[in-house]
Amino acid sequence: MPANLRPRPTACTEQPAAALGPEGPFPRVRLRKVLERRWLHYAFLSRDHELGMVANVAWLGPGLEAEDAPPRCTSILLVHKRGEGWCASQFNTQTSTPLWSAFQQPHNLHTPEPLTLTSTSASPAVELQLSRSSRPCTSQSAWFAPDQHLRWQSETGVIARGRWTFKDQTFDNVEAIGYHERVRGYWGWPELGGWVFGFANDPGGASDQPPPTAFVFTLIQPRGPGDTATGSVMVWRNGRLRRHFPRRCVTFAVRGQLQRDKVQQVPALSNLFGVPPMEPIPQQLMISARMGDDWVTYDYHCDAAARVVIPSETSLRPFSVHEVIGPVHVEGCISGEHFTFDTYGIVEFAGGADDC
Amino acid sequence: MTSKEQAKELPLEDLALLAGLQRGNDWLRAVLCTLARRGLGFRQQHPARAEQLLAALSRYPYFKAGQFLFDLMEWEDFMLDGEVPPLAPTTLDGPALQRMAGLLNTFRAHLDGAEPMVVPEVDTLLPLFVPEDEDLPALEPSLYLYHEVVLGILCSVRPLLQVQTPPDGKGPSPTD
């Protein structure tokens, strides 16, 4: 059983339980084709902005010829310490089972449950108790290529408390706030093209409450057919998704390039494999969304980046996901209610498998 | 009181309610999966035609709204989760199409006073999907199931459209 799938709890009565839908983050169906994918994504920033982490646990179909083989699993953990850079595992981070997910049902708010991720070299590592404080956005999908697709669902305001290990330093009782996401679908990296994705949680407010405001954006840029690029901006207020700005209401702009010595390539083994040069990362990302009288802006400055090199199953060039941490200013107005906050955010600039 | 104790004390009326929801759920899942399997069967037999149809429909407001609803309800996960449901061969069969056509006609008459309140005649002896359903392909996680469901609906309503001739008489003939 894949680690993400929680065994059904022992029935506490003799009466059969009603199963009215999937209990976990993914449907109970076996992955078969190589490009059938799932992953659970975690990203957190400590409230003092000193520490940040990104983790991804992914499953891939074993291939039709593999018959009953289990899905292939890769897991990576990156921890960032301000001023000291990134520390990353290989693609074999050890994970606690079952993996925490806000998309387990039922799943109560403010109920801590564990998530432990440990590099096989013991660093980086996190031992966290995670609590959801908010509600997820609507499940969304992008279709392209023309028979490939990606489905995702995001949840902001996830509270993480626990121990972080960065190189030889250990930090206890760190409180962080972040983001969780489930993704599934069927795609090749060249066809997917690229994406820009990111979030920010207002760090203000009580630690046992959802962030007063949270911001998530997505821009997916498949190479075809036609106009299949999609994107959106979502704004949560006090744990509830309040506005979903569709693609036609959102503009993205970038300026400058991040200095290349601020980008670290991970996992470390990728440096041995003649990986092609990376794409430049913008210095600044500006997103604005407006729908009627509601508007929001996200003014983000890239500060430090890790380039995660992901082998592509169907192209020679790898797919690169640049995990970027930097300060952000968020401002907006929804239903006449003005809000503004400054914090650090995590942004991903991804692509490159289809470049010639 | 713990949640386990509460669960032990669920009264019979609650269990009956959940069982009723479960039956409705199972039925809906069987209907959706039947439509998707019809659509997949059609796509496998006519891949270019299926792509053309989906490309044309992608601008149709009802298609866009349907996709939003499909995502909102998380129906793809719902359809794939667990054991494969049995086929529901009476999904959008002749009698169902007749009732559906009547419903849509009534709605149109309520929206537009010039439209008559008539139930269109549908030949309920039109070829149904029962024989073809037996050989329908299985669903896979690689499929974008909204498209398969839409194709399945198109396949199912096609017999109805073939016998409906517009007032100008220029509609497609049953043999098109």
Side-chain angles (χ1 to χ4, degrees):
Chain A
M1 176 179 286
N4 65 304
L5 296 182
R6 181 171 298 208
R8 286 176 183 274
T10 308
C12 54
T13 75
E14 297 300 318
Q15 297 152 337
L20 300 177
E23 287 182 307
F26 302 114
R28 289 170 299 146
V29 61
R30 198 162 62 84
L31 298 180
R32 296 174 71 237
K33 295 178 179 175
V34 169
L35 299 183
E36 289 174 354
R37 305 173 192 275
R38 295 173 174 172
W39 75 58
L40 293 175
H41 189 76
Y42 308 87
F44 293 96
L45 287 162
S46 63
R47 286 194 188 267
D48 62 4
H49 307 148
E50 285 297 311
L51 294 167
M53 70 150 270
V54 177
N56 205 78
V57 184
W59 295 269
L60 200 64
L64 294 175
E65 71 284 356
E67 297 182 348
D68 293 333
R72 285 177 284 171
C73 179
T74 61
S75 49
I76 188 166
L77 169 66
L78 293 80
V79 175
H80 178 262
K81 185 167 187 305
R82 191 140 65 120
E84 296 188 34
W86 295 87
C87 177
S89 72
Q90 305 291 341
F91 280 119
N92 58 355
T93 288
Q94 295 166 340
T95 63
S96 52
T97 303
L99 266 175
W100 185 92
S101 177
F103 301 103
Q104 304 281 3
Q105 300 297 334
H107 193 118
N108 296 325
L109 297 176
H110 305 295
T111 304
E113 291 190 37
L115 172 72
T116 301
L117 304 168
T118 311
S119 167
T120 52
S121 62
S123 179
V126 289
E127 293 174 54
L128 305 175
Q129 290 288 326
L130 301 186
S131 305
R132 71 188 309 197
S133 71
S134 306
R135 297 287 176 194
C137 72
T138 305
S139 171
Q140 297 171 73
S141 64
W143 160 83
F144 47 89
D147 59 347
Q148 302 186 12
H149 71 281
L150 183 153
R151 286 190 174 277
W152 74 97
Q153 193 171 16
S154 310
E155 180 158 326
T156 57
V158 179
I159 311 291
R161 298 182 179 91
R163 167 179 289 193
W164 297 47
T165 302
F166 173 85
K167 297 180 180 172
D168 58 351
Q169 306 168 59
T170 299
F171 304 88
D172 284 314
N173 302 317
V174 175
E175 182 167 300
I177 186 163
Y179 169 90
H180 175 57
E181 173 191 77
R182 63 171 175 163
V183 176
R184 57 171 290 267
Y186 175 78
W187 70 85
W189 295 113
E191 291 83 0
L192 177 63
W195 75 62
V196 187
F197 154 83
F199 73 91
N201 286 296
D202 183 349
S207 66
D208 60 346
Q209 294 294 316
T213 305
F215 180 101
V216 172
F217 72 90
T218 308
L219 175 65
I220 298 177
Q221 297 173 297
R223 297 304 185 238
D227 189 17
T228 50
T230 187
S232 69
V233 161
M234 295 177 286
V235 177
W236 277 254
R237 294 281 284 159
N238 300 314
R240 292 276 181 182
L241 179 65
R242 290 288 302 277
R243 284 296 177 275
H244 187 154
F245 297 88
R247 174 190 162 205
R248 64 180 181 279
C249 299
V250 182
T251 60
F252 293 79
V254 295
R255 185 179 70 86
Q257 291 185 8
L258 183 67
Q259 293 175 12
R260 298 217 171 200
D261 60 2
K262 288 192 171 181
V263 185
Q264 186 177 333
Q265 183 168 303
V266 298
L269 279 177
S270 68
N271 292 298
L272 305 177
F273 292 136
V275 174
M278 64 188 184
E279 296 297 313
I281 298 172
Q283 177 66 59
Q284 185 180 2
L285 170 68
M286 181 72 186
I287 301 170
S288 59
R290 173 176 282 279
M291 192 163 55
D293 290 335
D294 295 339
W295 61 273
V296 62
T297 59
Y298 180 91
D299 186 3
Y300 182 84
H301 289 256
C302 300
D303 194 22
R307 178 195 186 190
V308 184
V309 179
I310 299 172
S312 170
E313 298 82 8
T314 53
S315 65
L316 290 175
R317 293 183 66 91
F319 189 77
S320 295
V321 180
H322 298 90
E323 305 286 356
V324 185
I325 288 182
V328 61
H329 175 75
V330 178
E331 186 173 359
C333 182
I334 289 180
S335 299
E337 207 175 16
H338 189 265
F339 55 86
T340 180
F341 64 92
D342 290 275
T343 184
Y344 273 65
I346 292 179
V347 167
E348 289 182 346
F349 295 94
D354 59 335
D355 291 339
C356 298
Chain B
M1 184 180 284
T2 68
S3 59
K4 281 190 175 182
E5 287 166 342
Q6 286 173 341
K8 280 180 183 172
E9 293 174 6
L10 266 186
L12 286 176
E13 58 191 299
D14 289 355
L15 294 173
L17 172 69
L18 290 174
L21 293 177
Q22 174 88 60
R23 283 194 298 275
N25 226 26
D26 292 346
W27 168 82
L28 177 62
R29 193 161 166 257
V31 164
L32 288 171
C33 288
T34 298
L35 288 172
R37 291 175 67 181
R38 286 178 189 165
L40 179 59
F42 176 78
R43 184 200 287 274
Q44 289 179 348
Q45 289 178 2
H46 312 284
R49 197 170 146 200
E51 289 309 319
Q52 279 180 281
L53 283 168
L54 288 171
L57 284 170
S58 66
R59 298 162 197 159
Y60 189 42
Y62 291 114
F63 181 92
K64 296 176 185 178
Q67 179 163 337
F68 177 76
L69 184 69
F70 202 81
D71 289 351
L72 181 73
M73 306 281 270
E74 301 176 18
W75 268 351
E76 192 167 281
D77 288 359
F78 170 67
M79 291 166 66
L80 292 171
D81 186 54
E83 297 295 319
V84 178
L87 281 165
T90 50
T91 301
L92 290 185
D93 64 358
L97 286 176
Q98 180 145 25
R99 292 172 203 146
M100 188 67 81
L103 187 70
L104 293 174
N105 240 29
T106 304
F107 177 72
R108 188 168 63 176
H110 277 85
L111 203 61
D112 181 351
E115 293 292 332
M117 289 270 285
V118 295
V119 176
E121 288 185 13
V122 177
D123 183 358
T124 56
L125 299 179
L126 285 169
L128 303 182
F129 275 89
V130 180
E132 297 176 32
D133 277 354
E134 290 173 358
D135 298 322
L136 290 177
L139 302 182
E140 300 174 352
S142 61
L143 296 168
Y144 187 63
L145 288 181
Y146 177 61
H147 283 180
E148 314 307 326
V149 169
V150 168
L151 287 173
I153 293 171
L154 289 185
C155 293
S156 305
V157 304
R158 203 171 45 203
L160 173 66
L161 299 179
Q162 284 173 342
V163 297
Q164 294 299 298
T165 305
D168 60 8
K170 294 178 181 174
S173 71
T175 53
D176 279 349

